[in-house]
Amino acid sequence: MKCTDGRGGMSRQERAKQFMPFAALKGYEDALRRKEKVTVPKAQLCPERQEELDRILRQIRRNDMVTAVYFQEGEYVKLTGMVSRIDGTARILKIVDTKIDFEDLYEVEVQEVDREFDRSCQNP
């Protein structure tokens, strides 16, 4: 049974379809979002900063909690997590499941843990 308003015989449902959103260009919104993304060039570290970063990387061990800022696809990303692998030969730092080339690192900070607390937990 059609519900009409007496003017044209169009049901409310048919009338409502006229005002539903319509995406004439599929993927257009996604393309706009990608275009809106501001990309930045990769910064070149000065030799002193590179030496400091190398020194920090030599001190990092598996299971350390770290925060890393690194360059990826035209932007800098900040990631905090546990180191699952560090390979000085391959020059890769892996935080949880994310592999980061040493060359892409901008900053690395090792989270301090209370070693005394760790020892007290191990020896009750």
Side-chain angles (χ1 to χ4, degrees):
M1 184 166 145
K2 288 186 176 181
C3 181
T4 63
D5 60 5
R7 283 186 256 151
M10 189 182 288
S11 72
R12 287 185 186 190
Q13 210 172 28
E14 288 171 340
R15 186 176 303 267
K17 285 182 185 179
Q18 291 178 340
F19 301 102
M20 291 183 67
F22 175 70
L25 301 171
K26 282 193 171 196
Y28 183 68
E29 286 185 33
D30 290 334
L32 279 178
R33 276 191 215 105
R34 284 193 302 271
K35 198 72 168 165
E36 289 174 351
K37 180 181 163 182
V38 177
T39 58
V40 296
K42 185 175 176 181
Q44 295 298 318
L45 300 180
C46 67
E48 294 82 17
R49 182 159 180 148
Q50 186 63 52
E51 286 177 23
E52 177 68 13
L53 191 56
D54 288 342
R55 185 187 63 75
I56 293 169
L57 288 169
R58 284 192 301 271
Q59 294 175 355
I60 292 176
R61 299 290 174 248
R62 192 165 179 238
N63 297 327
D64 282 351
M65 284 295 291
V66 298
T67 298
V69 177
Y70 62 99
F71 187 79
Q72 178 185 8
E73 297 177 10
E75 67 181 345
Y76 281 91
V77 180
K78 185 175 185 178
L79 175 66
T80 299
M82 188 176 288
V83 174
S84 56
R85 176 181 172 214
I86 184 157
D87 187 335
T89 305
R91 299 189 55 78
I92 291 175
L93 172 65
K94 187 173 180 185
I95 302 173
V96 186
D97 291 328
T98 304
K99 286 183 182 179
I100 306 166
D101 289 332
F102 284 8
E103 289 73 30
D104 292 333
L105 286 167
Y106 181 76
E107 185 177 318
V108 178
E109 181 182 333
V110 180
Q111 308 296 319
E112 294 296 322
V113 283
D114 187 355
R115 300 291 180 198
E116 191 170 314
F117 176 76
D118 285 348
R119 282 191 293 263
S120 68
C121 288
Q122 292 172 358
N123 299 321

